[in-house]
Amino acid sequence: MESSDSLFATFKKLAESFTHLIEEEGIVFRPYANPHLIHFSRLSRAEQEDVVTRVSMYVLTCVNMKQKRLSMTNNRLFVETYLNTAGLYARPEDLDLIQDEHFVEIYNRNGMHLFRSLNILEISSYTFEDLCCRQWQHLYERPADQQEKILAAATHFFQLKNPTRQETSLPFHVIEKDTLERLIYDAETKWLIPVFRDDSFEAALTILLDRNPEVLPQFFKP
């Protein structure tokens, strides 16, 4: 069992390794905003262990891609490599839906990050620590009716006994809650796809369509 100091050092190294790996794909992304890792340090020991376990699989996926000289901007290949690395799987016909222009995320039942495609990081002003240590609903503000529909869809999906992919086509307009930039995003959650470990329904893969009217997200103007 790792000590708290060891967990802190491990996560910090993983965050720095990840951002270094994706720099080689032309993406500059901050590992954390504060070297004291404010969000990670606020977590309980069990939560810190969970973060390190989840992040380790994500970073190891990037290492595996690099060793095979494969591009992480190939969304389908990146997702498949992550699933294989983490001991997870999704149905091939579901993965066939993934295209490079899609935003792809995988969350566990607790709403915590397992995987994000690199094109999401290109337009985010959050840090790696933010995305890995905080639930998705705490990162973004959205209209109340949209929040209710998305939470209802996610709750219903995770309650299914024999889940199959769901076409949701839920549009959303969100603003970063806790960044200086407060960037605005418009997108559509097109598909919810079940991810399994052995026969257990483990996580949800979401395919999102970019609906931003501009090439880059815009700043929120109060």
Side-chain angles (χ1 to χ4, degrees), residues 5-219:
D5 288 346
S6 179
L7 288 167
F8 179 98
T10 299
F11 177 77
K12 193 172 186 180
K13 183 176 180 179
L14 286 167
E16 292 169 351
S17 297
F18 175 80
T19 53
H20 175 71
L21 286 163
I22 68 171
E23 276 183 16
E24 298 178 12
E25 297 278 359
I27 299 171
V28 177
F29 194 65
R30 295 179 299 156
Y32 40 76
N34 186 308
H36 296 296
L37 303 182
I38 294 172
H39 296 295
F40 182 81
S41 297
R42 288 173 178 166
L43 300 176
S44 69
R45 181 188 180 82
E47 289 169 334
Q48 290 180 353
E49 290 174 345
D50 175 65
V51 169
V52 167
T53 299
R54 289 186 284 105
V55 169
S56 295
M57 291 298 100
Y58 190 40
V59 174
L60 182 57
T61 299
C62 299
V63 172
N64 290 340
M65 295 282 284
K66 182 183 177 184
Q67 288 177 342
K68 295 177 182 178
R69 300 183 183 277
L70 302 172
S71 175
M72 288 176 269
T73 60
N74 182 323
N75 273 351
R76 167 69 185 269
L77 191 56
F78 193 21
V79 169
E80 284 186 316
T81 303
Y82 169 76
L83 294 175
N84 290 334
T85 301
L88 303 168
Y89 76 92
R91 299 182 180 101
E93 61 269 27
D94 293 342
L95 297 179
D96 285 342
L97 296 168
I98 298 172
Q99 300 177 22
D100 286 346
E101 65 268 22
H102 291 157
F103 298 139
V104 184
E105 301 175 319
I106 304 177
Y107 293 99
N108 65 17
R109 289 177 173 273
N110 295 323
M112 299 300 290
H113 158 98
L114 297 178
F115 173 95
R116 281 181 173 88
S117 55
L118 296 193
N119 53 4
I120 294 175
L121 309 185
E122 287 185 286
I123 61 170
S124 176
S125 59
Y126 276 118
T127 67
F128 187 72
E129 181 193 10
D130 285 316
L131 298 181
C132 295
C133 297
R134 303 167 68 186
Q135 291 177 306
W136 62 267
Q137 62 265 38
H138 296 158
L139 295 170
Y140 304 102
E141 294 177 7
R142 66 190 79 216
D145 60 330
Q146 291 183 6
Q147 181 82 348
E148 289 174 7
K149 288 179 181 177
I150 289 174
L151 285 173
T155 300
H156 171 74
F157 190 62
F158 275 117
Q159 289 174 342
L160 296 174
K161 295 185 182 297
N162 298 297
T164 58
R165 72 170 182 256
Q166 307 285 312
E167 184 172 9
T168 58
S169 299
L170 289 171
F172 62 83
H173 174 87
V174 298
I175 304 167
E176 292 177 340
K177 275 187 178 182
D178 191 23
T179 66
L180 292 175
E181 294 84 354
R182 299 263 289 161
L183 296 181
I184 300 170
Y185 307 93
D186 287 287
E188 176 186 335
T189 303
K190 182 67 175 175
W191 295 100
L192 286 174
I193 292 171
V195 174
F196 303 91
R197 186 185 304 279
D198 299 324
D199 294 326
S200 175
F201 178 21
E202 187 85 3
L205 183 154
T206 64
I207 295 178
L208 300 99
L209 309 182
D210 183 5
R211 298 301 190 207
N212 284 307
E214 307 290 340
V215 175
L216 296 174
Q218 302 300 297
F219 293 99

